[in-house]
Amino acid sequence: MTTILNIKTSINGENSASNKLSEALISQLLKNNPESKVLVRDLASDPIPHMETKHFLSFEIPHEERSNEQKEASKYSDQALKEIEEADILVIGLPFYNFSFPSTLKSWIDHISIPGKTFSYADSTPKGLLKNKKVYLNIAIGGIYEDKTIINQMEDYLRTLFAFIGITDIQVFRSEGTVFPEVRDENLSQTITDIESVLAS
C-alpha cells in the first residue's frame, strides 16, 4: 500500500491556493491507486518549534538513554522522521511568503535533517539515507513575476535539500497570480489541469 504524506504550510486553510493544488494532486494519486493511505501534517495549525539547543542535543543521545526532558525535546523530530520514513510520496503545498516558503517548513526540515537518520557522512562524503520516495512541490505565488530568479532559488534549495537526504525524484507545479481575482481561478484551473495530465500519463 502506498503512503502519501500531505504537508500543508499555508496559513490560509481552506482558502489556500497551495492546498487546493495539493488536494487536486492527491485526488489524482488516489484515482490511480485507490488503496493509498494519506497522512496529513499541517505545519500551519500544528507547527514544529524552531530548532533550539535542547532539540539538537537530544538527537545525539540514543532514545532509550534520553531523560524525560530529552524525550520531550526530541518528540517533534521523532514524529516527523516516522512520517517521512513511512511515506512513499510527499505532497508539499508551498505558498510564496516574502520571497520564500513559510518558516514552519524550515523548522520541519531542521527536525528531519538528522545524521544517521536521513543522511550520513560515511567515508567523509554526504549520503542520503531516504530511498525510493517521490516529492511533489505545489507552489502558489501571489504575484506574477517576469524574473523567475527568486522563485527558482526557492525551488533549487528544496531540490538540493531533498537530494541531500536521498530524494531526487521531484516534480514541481506552480500557479501564479493567486492574489488577483481576475486571474486566480483561471491560473489555478490550468495548473490543476497540468497536474491531472502529468499524473494520468
Side-chain angles (χ1 to χ4, degrees):
M1 181 175 63
T2 300
T3 298
I4 302 166
L5 177 59
N6 179 20
I7 300 178
K8 300 181 179 183
T9 65
S10 173
I11 60 176
N12 288 325
E14 293 182 358
N15 295 321
S16 163
S18 61
N19 285 348
K20 291 182 187 299
L21 294 177
S22 290
E23 289 165 6
L25 194 147
I26 291 170
S27 177
Q28 186 63 47
L29 289 174
L30 291 175
K31 186 181 296 185
N32 296 343
N33 189 352
E35 301 302 316
S36 298
K37 177 174 68 172
V38 180
L39 303 176
V40 178
R41 161 68 79 164
D42 192 334
L43 296 175
S45 63
D46 187 19
I48 293 175
H50 290 291
M51 183 71 70
E52 299 178 26
T53 302
K54 63 182 179 181
H55 302 127
F56 183 76
L57 293 178
S58 69
F59 302 153
E60 300 179 350
I61 302 170
H63 190 273
E64 63 276 7
E65 298 177 13
R66 293 174 187 169
S67 65
N68 289 336
E69 290 78 11
Q70 290 164 338
K71 288 178 181 178
E72 179 68 18
S74 67
K75 70 178 183 180
Y76 305 100
S77 179
D78 293 342
Q79 182 61 31
L81 285 168
K82 181 175 183 292
E83 291 169 353
I84 195 172
E85 287 168 354
E86 290 180 353
D88 302 292
I89 299 172
L90 282 73
V91 178
I92 306 177
L94 294 166
F96 193 57
Y97 293 164
N98 299 315
F99 304 106
S100 187
F101 52 79
S103 65
T104 49
L105 184 66
K106 181 58 168 66
S107 291
W108 178 84
I109 288 170
D110 289 341
H111 281 269
I112 59 100
S113 301
I114 307 298
K117 297 291 186 179
T118 55
F119 72 93
S120 75
Y121 280 115
D123 303 322
S124 301
T125 58
K127 290 182 174 61
L129 301 180
L130 298 181
K131 304 297 182 184
N132 303 317
K133 299 181 188 296
K134 184 175 182 66
V135 171
Y136 292 99
L137 302 177
N138 298 310
I139 303 173
I141 302 163
I144 299 175
Y145 299 88
E146 290 186 10
D147 183 354
K148 308 298 185 187
T149 302
I150 192 67
I151 302 171
N152 293 336
Q153 286 176 351
M154 181 180 78
E155 180 183 321
D156 290 344
Y157 167 81
L158 290 169
R159 286 185 180 276
T160 300
L161 178 281
F162 282 113
F164 180 73
I165 61 176
I167 306 173
T168 57
D169 188 358
I170 299 171
Q171 179 83 48
V172 179
F173 296 99
R174 295 181 185 171
S175 187
E176 297 189 38
T178 62
V179 299
F180 302 119
E182 64 272 21
V183 297
R184 171 188 165 94
D185 290 345
E186 180 181 352
N187 289 357
L188 277 175
S189 179
Q190 181 58 57
T191 306
I192 288 171
T193 297
D194 293 342
I195 288 171
E196 293 171 347
S197 175
V198 170
L199 269 65
S201 60

